[in-house]
Amino acid sequence: MTTPLDVQTECRTHFPALKDGYIFADNAGGSQCLKDVADRIYDYLLNSNVQLGANYSVSVVSTERATVDPQKAAAVLFNAASPEEISFGSSSTMLVENLARAMEPQINEGDEFIVSFADHEANVGPWVRLASRTKATLIPWQARPVSPNDNPYHVELSLDDLKDLITSKTRLVAFTACSNILGAWTRPKEVAALVRRVAREKGTKMVEICVDCVAYAPHRRIDVRDWDVEYAFFSYYKVYGPHVSVLYSRKSSLDNSLTSLSHYFLKDYLKIQPGGPGYEVPYGTTGVLPYLLSLAGSGGVGDRSESELLNEAFRRIAAHEENLMKPIIGFLLSEEAKKAGVRIVGPESADKEVRAPTISFVVVGQDGKTKRLQSKDVVAEFDSQGG
């Protein structure tokens, strides 16, 4: 049985920003930063801010902190086969743009990119531009209405729709593990399995998969090996870290699908990390993994692997999130709210197996479509109450 999280002692004490009582209702917009993350950045700058790669003692420490340790920690969070499959960048948008440009020499006219239009622009725009530059074809995987008459905003990405989009020319499938608008799980393992199976049936020569995990990473465990995907990425500032992002690229794709954007003598993950992501900020990210591991609870810590601890931590997170969702979703689905024009965007459910606690809704007029309340109006009222 999963032990409930003690949010006050296990979580809130790690976030100094929460001490004054202000409620940060940023939802999927970003998280607050762990004290340990900020402490590591501070410590790096004051105690190991030297040139990397030299053989004197402080540089050896600095190199471990700025490159080796962040890759190891991120590899655990992705469940990557090797830290060498991890690249850092200033944002997810930049990392995917780099990925698309590194892939460009391998793209042929007529290749097809299937792109989920429920994604953040970070996993859409780079592929749109790549298709334009290479005369590839962009094919949108659109969300379909589940109950168009009752709630036109209740939409989902359908595997049946995706299946019909895959052809012998499919080269890339890019989608989100969790839409920051819909709040729905896309189930990457199921998507990837479908893509591989249909691609084989259609005689597709080569297809790669890129998964946006930005809105997924704070809520559930990423597992790129279990999912069987070539690329995945997330932003650390959504997961209690600093403003930096991280990309997983499967070793075989690094070697065979990507052309270097960096200096000619830089290989492997550095191929798509031109200029470097800085030193102190990647080191700061190493404070995120210990915090997440701590959320597994104290029972049997010494007997469990990091993978087992992460699995337990996210089980506890999921259970806590479901308890938070139930009253909110319950109200938004009530007759009172419905009569007032409230419509949930995405799944009309508080089940943790169906959706994340990233909840969007609209307030419509009598026609059931026209919005009569804007986000800024809600924010203004919320802020007037002191957060």
Side-chain angles (χ1 to χ4, degrees), residues 289-303:
L289 178 59
Y291 169 70
L292 291 175
L293 293 174
S294 76
L295 298 184
S298 58
V301 170
D303 300 326

Side-chain angles (χ1 to χ4, degrees), residues 272-289:
I272 48 177
Q273 192 174 286
Y279 301 165
E280 67 278 2
V281 176
Y283 179 56
T285 67
T286 62
V288 172
L289 178 59

Side-chain angles (χ1 to χ4, degrees), residues 322-340:
E322 186 175 57
N323 288 334
L324 293 177
M325 281 195 291
K326 285 179 179 178
I328 300 172
I329 296 289
F331 169 74
L332 293 176
L333 291 177
S334 67
E335 281 302 313
E336 176 188 0
K338 188 174 182 179
K339 289 178 181 178

Side-chain angles (χ1 to χ4, degrees), residues 226-244:
D226 184 55
W227 295 352
D228 185 25
V229 299
E230 281 77 19
Y231 311 105
F233 61 92
F234 72 88
S235 299
Y236 261 108
Y237 78 93
K238 308 275 187 170
V239 198
Y240 324 119
H243 285 85
V244 69

